[in-house]
């Protein structure tokens, strides 16, 4: 039974194979063009795939080329940027050199060589080095660091010289007590700047210290001037009160107005930050007011003296008359040289001589006169 089943299956399989082979042959013959078309489609698809791949490859290549181009462009831009950062500093160096020339001359005029001969000599040595470079055509490189340092040194020397002069003025007038704190601070800085062992190494540091020292002594002088100005103003005001007491504004109006103007100028200078100038104005105003007072007072004194002298003379005359009356009173008797009250000084005249003269004239002229 089992064997028959196997033979039956084998037969069915053989028939299926034969049938399948016949079916395949018919399809190939009838649909040859379709197969060819399918083949073409397949080929086209393959070609398209190849083209797409090629296009993709080309795109990739293009992208790569673009990247390379960007890279090249970036490299070129970087190179250009690097090239543009290389500046020509010639003009800047020339400008700084001109500034140094002015600073150096100012230092020389201020007496920098005497203020600190060592520092001035060092600055001059550096100046000669930079001068050779500039006279040889300068440099396109940035020289600002060296040039600015030299400029600061000359400016610092000028400030130091000025500070020393102002300190001397304070010392000569004994004004240190007006602002002792600033005086001590400025004095210490001057000592540091002139000390050969000073640790001040850069031009900027030297300038900052010297400038600060000068300002310290400016503070001392300003305090002194303001204090002195207030004192002189008070003196001038007292002198004005004296001039007013003798009515100087009336009797000497022009000179009085001049003094008042000087006084007001002093006030203006004081409130605008020039106390030194106000001192001169107050002193001048005080002198004018004092002069007016003295001159008017003197004139008044002389006038009073003259009046008193006149009064005295009158009084003395009265005293003499009284004394004379006592010594030799006139009484009622005759006095030699003085006529009596009823004395006849002239003889009576009857005018007869005049009548005789007229008669004689008429006789001489004749009747025509009438």
């Amino acid at each position: 039974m089992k064997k028959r089943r196997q033979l039956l299956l084998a037969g069915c399989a053989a028939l299926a194979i034969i049938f399948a082979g016949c079916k395949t042959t018919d399809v190939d013959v009838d649909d040859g063009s379709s197969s060819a078309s399918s083949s073409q489609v397949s080929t086209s698809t393959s070609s398209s795939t190849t083209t797409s791949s090629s296009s993709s490859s080309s795109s990739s290549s293009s992208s790569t080329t673009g990247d390379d181009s960007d890279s090249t462009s970036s490299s070129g831009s970087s190179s250009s940027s690097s090239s543009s950062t290389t500046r020509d500093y010639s003009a800047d160096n020339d400008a700084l050199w001109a500034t140094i020339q002015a600073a150096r001359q100012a230092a020389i005029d201020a007496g920098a060589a005497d203020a600190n001969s060592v520092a001035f000599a060092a600055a001059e040595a550096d100046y000669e080095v930079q001068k050779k470079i500039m006279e040889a055509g300068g440099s396109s490189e940035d020289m600002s660091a060296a040039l600015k340092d030299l400029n600061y040194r000359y400016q610092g020397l000028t400030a130091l010289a000025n500070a020393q002069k102002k300190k001397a003025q304070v010392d000569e007038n004994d004004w240190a007590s007006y602002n002792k704190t600033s005086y001590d601070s400025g004095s210490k800085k001057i000592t540091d700047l002139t000390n050969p062992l000073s640790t001040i190494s850069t031009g900027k540091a030297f300038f900052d210290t010297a400038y600060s020292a000068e300002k310290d002594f400016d503070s001392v002088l300003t305090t002194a001037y303001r204090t002195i100005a207030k004192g002189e103003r008070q003196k001038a005001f007292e002198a004005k009160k004296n001039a007013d007491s003798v009515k100087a504004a009336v009797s000497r109006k022009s000179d009085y107005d001049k003094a008042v103007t000087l006084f007001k100028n002093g006030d203006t200078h004081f409130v605008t930050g020039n106390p030194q100038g106000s001192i001169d104005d107050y002193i001048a105003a005080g002198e004018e007011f004092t002069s007016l007072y003295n001159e008017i007072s003197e004139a008044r004194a002389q006038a009073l003296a003259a009046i008193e002298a006149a009064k005295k003379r009158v009084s003395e005359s009265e005293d003499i008359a009284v004394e004379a009356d006592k010594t030799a009173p006139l009484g009622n008797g005759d006095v030699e040289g003085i006529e009596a009250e009823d004395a006849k000084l002239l003889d009576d005249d009857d005018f007869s001589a005049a009548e005789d003269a007229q008669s004689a004239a008429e006789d001489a002229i004749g009747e025509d006169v009438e």
Side-chain angles (χ1 to χ4, degrees):
M1 186 70 175
K2 184 176 180 181
K3 185 174 182 181
R4 285 180 64 189
R5 185 180 294 179
Q6 288 178 346
L7 288 174
L8 179 61
L9 290 174
C12 287
L15 288 173
I17 292 171
I18 292 171
F19 178 78
C22 291
K23 186 69 175 175
T24 301
T25 303
D26 290 340
V27 173
D28 288 342
V29 173
D30 293 339
D31 298 332
S33 61
S34 178
S35 178
S37 176
S38 178
S39 176
Q40 289 179 0
V41 172
S42 177
T43 303
S44 174
T45 301
S46 176
S47 173
S48 176
T49 300
T50 303
T51 301
S52 177
S53 176
S54 173
S55 175
S56 178
S57 175
S58 174
S59 177
S60 177
S61 174
S62 174
S63 177
T64 302
T65 303
D67 291 341
D68 291 344
S69 176
D70 289 344
S71 177
T72 302
S73 175
S74 176
S75 177
S77 176
S78 177
S79 176
S80 175
S81 176
S82 177
S83 175
S84 65
T85 57
T86 306
R87 278 185 55 189
D88 186 342
Y89 289 90
S90 298
D92 295 338
N93 294 337
D94 289 341
L96 282 172
W97 184 244
T99 302
I100 289 172
Q101 300 288 341
R104 177 175 181 268
Q105 188 58 52
I108 292 172
D109 294 341
D114 295 328
N116 189 332
S117 59
V118 175
F120 181 73
E124 287 290 272
D126 190 12
Y127 173 82
E128 291 300 325
V129 172
Q130 304 303 331
K131 180 180 178 181
K132 289 180 180 178
I133 296 174
M134 299 306 294
E135 289 182 346
S139 173
S140 61
E141 296 181 358
D142 186 3
M143 297 174 60
S144 61
L147 296 179
K148 286 181 180 179
D149 184 79
L150 180 57
N151 186 56
Y152 274 127
R153 290 187 182 280
Y154 281 127
Q155 290 181 331
L157 285 165
T158 299
L160 173 60
N162 291 337
Q164 289 176 333
K165 292 174 185 176
K166 292 173 181 179
K167 181 180 183 300
Q169 182 181 358
V170 171
D171 291 341
E172 289 170 5
N173 291 281
D174 196 22
W175 288 348
S177 60
Y178 284 112
N179 192 335
K180 194 66 166 60
T181 300
S182 294
Y183 179 85
D184 291 342
S185 176
S187 298
K188 182 180 184 304
K189 289 166 187 174
I190 287 179
T191 300
D192 292 340
L193 290 166
T194 54
N195 183 0
L197 302 178
S198 174
T199 57
I200 301 174
S201 58
T202 67
K204 181 66 164 60
F206 190 93
F207 167 76
D208 288 342
T209 305
Y211 182 78
S212 179
E214 183 180 4
K215 289 304 175 184
D216 283 336
F217 288 107
D218 281 340
S219 296
V220 177
L221 290 172
T222 298
T223 304
Y225 288 140
R226 288 179 64 85
T227 304
I228 294 171
K230 289 179 180 179
E232 292 299 334
R233 186 183 191 280
Q234 184 61 36
K235 292 179 183 178
F237 186 73
E238 292 298 326
K240 178 181 179 300
K241 289 168 63 177
N242 291 335
D244 291 339
S245 70
V246 295
K247 304 296 187 293
V250 177
S251 60
R252 298 279 294 277
K253 185 176 186 306
S254 178
D255 293 331
Y256 182 87
D257 288 345
K258 177 183 176 182
V260 170
T261 298
L262 288 170
F263 190 90
K264 289 181 176 178
N265 288 343
D267 285 347
T268 299
H269 285 140
F270 189 88
V271 299
T272 56
N274 182 15
Q276 182 179 7
S278 70
I279 292 174
D280 296 335
D281 291 328
Y282 289 139
I283 290 175
E287 290 175 349
E288 288 289 333
F289 285 128
T290 300
S291 178
L292 285 171
Y293 173 75
N294 291 338
E295 291 174 6
I296 294 173
S297 296
E298 179 64 23
R300 282 190 170 190
Q302 291 178 358
L304 289 174
I307 292 172
E308 291 300 323
K311 288 181 178 180
K312 183 177 181 182
R313 286 194 296 272
V314 171
S315 178
E316 289 175 349
S317 296
E318 291 177 350
D319 291 343
I320 291 173
V322 171
E323 185 65 26
D325 285 342
K326 291 180 179 180
T327 303
L330 295 177
N332 296 323
D334 296 335
V335 178
E336 183 178 357
I338 298 179
E339 292 81 2
E341 182 179 355
D342 57 349
K344 184 176 181 179
L345 302 178
L346 297 174
D347 294 334
D348 293 334
D349 194 346
D350 58 1
F351 302 105
S352 60
E355 292 176 354
D356 292 342
Q358 181 179 1
S359 177
E362 290 175 352
D363 291 341
I365 296 172
E367 296 178 355
D368 292 337
V369 175
E370 297 179 352

